[in-house]
Amino acid sequence: MGSSSKKKAEKKKDFQKPKFKVGKDKAKPSNFTDTSFKSRAIVMGHQSLSTAAPDILQQFKHNMSLASSSKSDKQRKEALAYLTTQLSAEPQINPVGTAAVLAKLLPLISDTYTPVRSQLLKLLQTLPAAGVAPAVDNAAMFVRAGMTHLSNDISNDALSVMDWLLLTAGDQLVSCPGGWVKTLNTFCAMMGWIPTTVKGGWTAGSAGRTSLKAKDALNRARQMTTLTNFLRTGFKEESILPWSPLQYWDNLYTTPRETNPFNYVNLSGARRDEDGEMYVDSESRKQIFHKRFYESFAKGVEQIKKEGGVGGRAAAGLEQVISAAMKDYRTSAAIDTKDLLELW
């Protein structure tokens, strides 16, 4: 009986007229937006219209700023693409100079977004070698930081930048302050080879490891290929110009072509250690290589050769370069300059 009376009451509701409260509006929903206002004009602050577009210098600087400091990955890539287009034009459009471009964009070597690093390499390949050579020491610092990055992708892309730097300004790279020893230390850190150091008469040799973080043979072969190119550039003998009676007067009165020809004297800079020293000729580079790196490199190469495969072939090429360079090298019996300085 209870259920039937309930059904009858529900049926009666369909035929009952609802009673509305007079003078009260219907309640507005919670997401209601008032659109009853009217406006004759919309004013945007700090904006202006102009028929003249910004000049090339302002556009170039604006895109450099976006490429170096934008939080958007896509925006950084597009800014680099614009700069690459301008630098690839004939004649090249670079109103700020190569040194300014490198100083602003080199930190992107360690960018976390892969397309940005790929676009950066394309941009670097458009720069003239004459403009890259004076800034090679600053470029080498960022390349070494990228080579020792924890990410394998960033490390491999930094190796590509190192290959570009060797092709563009290889001689300046191996002879700039820290360009030889610090770069070799970076390769040792990548490969897991501990360079020889002398402390209190004892010598710490290589630990025998072939890689610190990467077990992939392709990555290891990639590292050794770049290392081979670096050593080949550093061990290359300097070209000897034919003697001329005018050389004496040329050395006295001819303006040097280098940007800082007396940098090796280090008159105004801080005192350099062995790692930050300039090794301007192949003989001095061979000497420091034999003293600190030859033993660890020989052990590491021998171990990788035993593994075979792609890494073994790359190690064989590296061994050939080292053997050819050190074949005629003789250890000097003279006292090292560093040892003389430590006597004071």
Side-chain angles (χ1 to χ4, degrees), residues 154-198:
I154 296 178
S155 180
N156 289 333
D157 289 341
L159 289 175
S160 300
V161 180
M162 174 61 74
D163 291 334
W164 162 79
L165 201 58
L166 288 172
L167 290 174
T168 307
D171 295 337
Q172 291 80 5
L173 173 62
V174 297
S175 59
C176 71
W180 181 246
V181 176
K182 288 185 178 180
T183 307
L184 287 176
N185 283 330
T186 303
F187 277 108
C188 288
M190 294 180 66
M191 306 295 296
W193 298 343
I194 303 176
T196 303
T197 56
V198 179

Side-chain angles (χ1 to χ4, degrees), residues 326-338:
M326 307 304 293
K327 178 177 60 176
D328 299 331
Y329 174 76
R330 295 182 180 179
T331 306
S332 176
I335 301 177
D336 194 0
T337 307
K338 183 180 178 182

Side-chain angles (χ1 to χ4, degrees), residues 7 48 70 113 153 199 207 214 216 237-238 253 261 269 278 282 290 301 316 319 339:
K7 291 180 180 179
S48 62
S70 177
Y113 191 49
D153 295 335
K199 294 182 179 180
D216 190 2
E237 297 292 339
E238 294 80 8
Y253 299 109
M278 293 179 64
S282 60
H290 185 273
V301 168
E319 186 181 36
D339 297 334

Side-chain angles (χ1 to χ4, degrees), residues 32-47:
F32 173 76
T33 302
D34 185 11
T35 58
S36 60
F37 67 91
K38 293 182 180 180
S39 177
R40 292 185 178 181
I42 298 178
V43 180
M44 303 294 292
H46 305 289
Q47 291 192 7

Side-chain angles (χ1 to χ4, degrees), residues 98 127 137 159 172 195 296 334 337:
T98 304
L127 297 176
D137 51 346
L159 289 175
Q172 291 80 5
S296 59
T337 307

Side-chain angles (χ1 to χ4, degrees), residues 178-329:
W180 181 246
V181 176
K182 288 185 178 180
T183 307
L184 287 176
N185 283 330
T186 303
F187 277 108
C188 288
M190 294 180 66
M191 306 295 296
W193 298 343
I194 303 176
T196 303
T197 56
V198 179
K199 294 182 179 180
W202 294 91
T203 301
S206 173
R209 294 184 299 173
T210 57
S211 178
L212 282 177
K213 59 182 185 301
K215 301 298 181 181
D216 190 2
L218 293 177
N219 289 340
R220 186 184 303 170
R222 176 79 173 84
Q223 295 166 2
M224 283 189 293
T225 301
T226 305
L227 176 58
T228 303
N229 296 332
F230 179 77
L231 291 178
R232 185 181 290 113
T233 304
F235 292 150
K236 181 177 61 177
E237 297 292 339
E238 294 80 8
S239 58
I240 301 176
L241 299 177
W243 182 84
S244 172
L246 299 177
Q247 286 182 356
Y248 175 78
W249 303 107
D250 289 342
N251 292 333
L252 289 178
Y253 299 109
T254 303
T255 303
R257 296 181 179 272
E258 295 83 1
T259 56
N260 192 0
F262 302 105
N263 190 23
Y264 65 94
V265 183
N266 195 25
L267 295 176
S268 58
R271 180 178 176 180
R272 299 181 184 135
D273 55 0
E274 194 176 52
D275 291 357
E277 190 58 62
M278 293 179 64
Y279 299 94
V280 294
D281 55 355
S282 60
E283 188 65 25
S284 61
R285 290 191 287 267
K286 290 179 182 179
Q287 181 180 0
I288 192 64
F289 177 82
H290 185 273
K291 175 184 176 182
R292 294 184 52 177
F293 301 99
Y294 181 75
E295 182 180 352
S296 59
F297 273 47
K299 292 180 180 179
V301 168
E302 187 64 27
Q303 183 171 351
I304 297 177
K305 282 177 58 180
K306 293 179 180 179
E307 298 177 3
V310 180
R313 291 191 293 271
L318 177 59
E319 186 181 36
Q320 290 179 359
V321 172
I322 296 176
S323 300
M326 307 304 293
K327 178 177 60 176
D328 299 331
Y329 174 76

